[in-house]
Amino acid sequence: MASNPFTQSHNGQMPLRTTGIPLALIALAASLVRGQGAVWSQCGGIGWAGATTCVSGSVCTVLNDYYSQCVPGTATTTTPTSPPTTTGGSTTTSTATGPSSTCGTPAPGSGTLQLVGVNIAGFDFGCNSDGSCTASAAYPPLTQYYGKDGKGQMTHFVNDDGYNVFRLPVGWQFLTNNVLGGSINQTNMAEYDALVQTCLGTGAWCIIDIHNYARWDSGIIGQGGPTNEQFAATWGELAAMYKDTQKVIFGIMNEPHDIPDINLWAGSVQAAVTAIRNAGATTQMILLPGNNWTSAETFISNGSADALMKVVNPDGSVTNLIFDVHKYLDSDNSGTNAECVTNNIANAWEPLTQWLRCNGRQAFNTETGGGNTASCVTFMCQQIAYQAQNSDVILGYVGWAAGNFDVSYVLSELPAGSGSSWTDTTLVAQCMSPKAGAQKGSTS
Ligand SMILES: *[C@@H]1O[C@H](CO)[C@@H](O)[C@H](O)[C@H]1NC(C)=O
Ligand SMILES: *[C@@H]1O[C@H](CO)[C@@H](O)[C@H](O)[C@H]1NC(C)=O
Ligand SMILES: *[C@@H]1O[C@H](CO)[C@@H](O)[C@H](O)[C@H]1NC(C)=O
């Protein structure tokens, strides 16, 4: 072990990457001074102390116990307007075909997210945010490789909590055993595949996540570092291995950041998508990551949305090309603090869901989390309830993290126990577990 995985931050990213107060919060504060909520602002819910009336032309609408919102119109609408169109991850996602007729109208989601899960970390240990990964530091979260009981964790999460997806981060260097441009090392791959097969064995969907921040040893893919061809070759090999496995989801890259040219990055993503499809994985979901640590908040404003919109399947369609977004709830959006300060709705989820709906696309929140604290229970439950109300465009969320972390890790979602007897952490038990009821706004 080159580094102690039990003490590393959730993904090695810098703890401080936000400055100032989000504009949306300033706008909200301004509306509070006037005593009436602006259109799309919060106007009620458990713990809400702000304005409870809305400006003319909008109506305060109860989305769930935790969140009421000023929605354009004059009629009162208190229930989701559409019935569920898909169920519990049993199908692939709806086909995106272009602007939907409901563009602009709020919350037509079913109230139930399709995919809800947990990151099972370990094979990414030793990876830093400059894309340097020490292959020998990868730490399989499986007891047969002397790691934690990832099999027991996932089995518990599925059987006792109702989770149905796991994200399995892995360093690129581990896959090729440190050879840039090399083919996948079968010895190392056998270990990673053991985790994939264990995940699949629970009946869940399984996300392969190359956890390299768009880089290899500081060099940015397609922009001075590895070539697009080298990146695409790794994905082509992986896709060939899992081309007949419908429940494998291809997560192109974890948290690109500080990418000089977002359009060139979209070209790198396109190269990977093309390689995956041409390897025979023609129908599986592929997750497309934007800049700024895949921030859900700046996905549109920083140009990721426009650039990644152009990524297509070989047939020109965008079927099952899903945008990958991350969001934490702490004061600096780093996922390193125990306390949460925001539900991210006004600054991130609301603008994102409207953009997705207007453009006929979907996103998947593959990293989110918080400490096991009362503030995180409050805000995380609100975030999940909002996502579920918008489940037509938000597929679901994956919590960070279980796997090989220590139980003392600030964002630990490790259940305590063994065998068939497990106890969840506070945040999982009260919000993040599908059984907690946060999606319907009725937490236990
Ligand atoms: C990155 O996203 C955070 C919020 O998630 C935002 O505060 C920050 O300004 C963004 N940085 C850039 C360069 O867009
Ligand atoms: C594969 O990786 C292992 C280390 O896990 C190494 O010993 C072996 O030489 C590599 N195989 C090839 C063909 O490079
Ligand atoms: C993204 O944010 C960075 C830093 O603020 C800025 O330099 C860059 O121009 C932005 N890109 C786009 C496409 O808005």
Side-chain angles (χ1 to χ4, degrees), residues 121-211:
F123 278 102
D124 55 314
F125 285 3
C127 286
N128 303 303
S129 60
D130 66 353
S132 59
C133 298
T134 306
S136 58
Y139 188 17
L142 292 169
T143 54
Q144 67 262 41
Y145 301 117
Y146 312 103
K148 300 223 169 190
D149 186 5
K151 179 178 185 180
Q153 292 174 17
M154 289 190 277
T155 304
H156 154 71
F157 283 136
V158 169
N159 292 348
D160 301 334
D161 289 329
Y163 281 109
N164 65 356
V165 62
F166 298 102
R167 182 168 177 259
L168 313 173
V170 62
W172 191 2
Q173 284 89 340
F174 178 79
L175 292 174
T176 65
N177 202 46
N178 286 322
V179 182
L180 176 58
S183 56
I184 287 178
N185 177 295
Q186 294 308 316
T187 307
N188 293 2
M189 188 64 205
E191 294 187 10
Y192 183 67
D193 182 58
L195 185 66
V196 175
Q197 297 304 330
T198 300
C199 172
L200 291 167
T202 68
W205 300 69
C206 308
I207 304 170
I208 295 175
D209 157 45
I210 298 187
H211 213 74

Side-chain angles (χ1 to χ4, degrees), residues 359-376:
N359 288 280
R361 300 297 295 266
Q362 293 175 310
F364 191 3
N365 179 199
T366 63
E367 274 190 33
T368 190
N372 290 297
T373 57
S375 61
C376 288

Side-chain angles (χ1 to χ4, degrees), residues 17-19 258 292-293 295-298 301-302 326-327 333:
R17 25 178 239 269
T18 64
T19 52
D258 302 292
N292 195 18
W293 316 86
S295 166
E297 184 175 345
T298 58
S301 63
N302 205 228
H326 292 180
K327 201 78 189 74
N333 188 46

